[in-house]
Amino acid sequence: MTSHQPPLWRRAVAELLGTGLLVSIVVGSGIAAQQLSPNDVGLQLLQNSTATVLGLTVLILILGPVSGAHFNPVVSLVDWVLGRRSGTGLTLPDLGTYLVAQTVGAIGGSVVANAMFEVGTSISVTDRATTGHLLGEVVATAGLVLLIFALAATNRGVLAAPAVGAYIGAAYWFTSSTSFANPAVTVGRIFSDTFAGIAPASVPGFVAAQLIGAAVGLGLLVVLFPSAARSADDVVLAHSSVTTTS
C-alpha cells in the first residue's frame, strides 16, 4: 500500500456523487420548504439555506479526502489556473473530467430530489437573470473562491468544511441571487420547476457572472496570498494523502 493521490476515476466518482448530493439537498429542501411553509417565502429560504449549510459541510468532510470536494467547476478551474504557476493542482485532463462529473452529478441530483418528493422532473420557469441577481453571483462566487484558496494557502484547510458551509449559508441571505455560485449546480437546478429552480434563459447570465466572480476572487487571492499557487493540491481539502491500493 502506498500513499498518493487517488486515481482520476475515483476522484471523478467522488465529484459526481458530491455534486449530485449537493443539488439533491438544495432542491429537495426547497421542495420540502414549499410544502411545509407554502405562504412564507422567508421561512422557505431559512429552511432551504439551513439544510444546504449542514449538507455541504458533511459532504466536504466525507468526500474531501478523495477528490478535494470541489463540487464546483469554478473551484476546479481556479485550481487548474493556479497550479499552472507551480506544477500543482489539477491537470487539464483532470479538469475536464471534474467538469463533466460535476455537471452530470448536478443534473442527476435534481432528478433524484424530484423523485423523492414525487414531483415530476420538468424545466424550471423561474426567471432570475436581473442585474441585481447577476451582481449577486459575482459577489458570491468571488467570496467563495477567495475563502477556499485562502484557507489552503494558509494551511487552514481543516476549517474548509464548516467555513464553506457557513459562507454559502450567509450568502443565501446577503446576496440577491441566493448564492448559486456554481455553474454545475446552476445547470442542475434547471431540471426542477420548484422553489430552487432556475429557467434555462437565466443560466447563461448566471454562469457568466460566476466566471467573472471567479476571476475577481482569483485576482484578490493573488494580491493577498501570493503563495497560493503552491497549495493547489490542498483545495478544498487535501486529497494527496489518501492511502490506496490502486
Side-chain angles (χ1 to χ4, degrees):
M1 297 177 71
T2 57
S3 180
H4 58 81
Q5 193 175 73
L8 180 57
W9 70 265
R10 186 171 291 154
R11 287 181 280 143
V13 170
E15 286 296 301
L16 186 148
L17 179 62
T19 312
L21 288 173
L22 174 58
V23 173
S24 286
I25 290 166
V26 172
V27 172
S29 62
I31 296 171
Q34 272 188 314
Q35 295 178 351
L36 293 170
S37 309
N39 301 314
D40 192 333
V41 177
L43 187 54
Q44 290 174 12
L45 186 60
L46 178 61
Q47 293 161 339
N48 191 207
S49 61
T50 300
T52 302
V53 168
L54 298 175
L56 178 56
T57 300
V58 170
L59 290 175
I60 293 173
L61 289 173
I62 294 171
L63 298 170
V66 181
S67 68
H70 293 190
F71 310 151
N72 189 332
V74 297
V75 173
S76 299
L77 181 60
V78 172
D79 184 75
W80 176 76
V81 171
L82 276 179
R84 297 317 90 217
R85 300 175 60 190
S86 60
T88 59
L90 298 179
T91 65
L92 193 57
D94 289 347
L95 175 63
T97 302
Y98 269 49
L99 298 187
V100 171
Q102 290 158 354
T103 304
V104 172
I107 295 171
S110 198
V111 172
V112 168
N114 292 332
M116 286 193 293
F117 287 90
E118 299 183 356
V119 174
T121 294
S122 57
I123 302 301
S124 176
V125 297
T126 303
D127 184 18
R128 299 178 183 266
T130 67
T131 301
H133 287 158
L134 297 181
L135 178 58
E137 283 302 288
V138 173
V139 171
T141 309
L144 179 64
V145 167
L146 181 59
L147 168 63
I148 289 171
F149 288 87
L151 289 175
T154 54
N155 298 314
R156 293 179 295 162
V158 68
L159 298 175
V164 171
Y167 176 79
I168 292 298
Y172 257 87
W173 292 91
F174 79 76
T175 66
S176 57
S177 63
T178 66
S179 183
F180 284 49
N182 185 327
V185 168
T186 303
V187 170
R189 289 166 71 164
I190 291 173
F191 296 90
S192 186
D193 189 20
T194 60
F195 178 78
I198 180 172
S202 298
V203 170
F206 262 56
V207 172
Q210 290 157 0
L211 292 173
I212 292 170
V216 172
L218 176 59
L220 291 171
L221 181 75
V222 171
V223 170
L224 297 172
F225 303 96
S227 65
R230 293 196 296 270
S231 59
D233 281 330
D234 298 330
V235 174
V236 172
L237 288 180
H239 53 285
S240 58
S241 60
V242 177
T243 299
T244 177
T245 57
S246 60

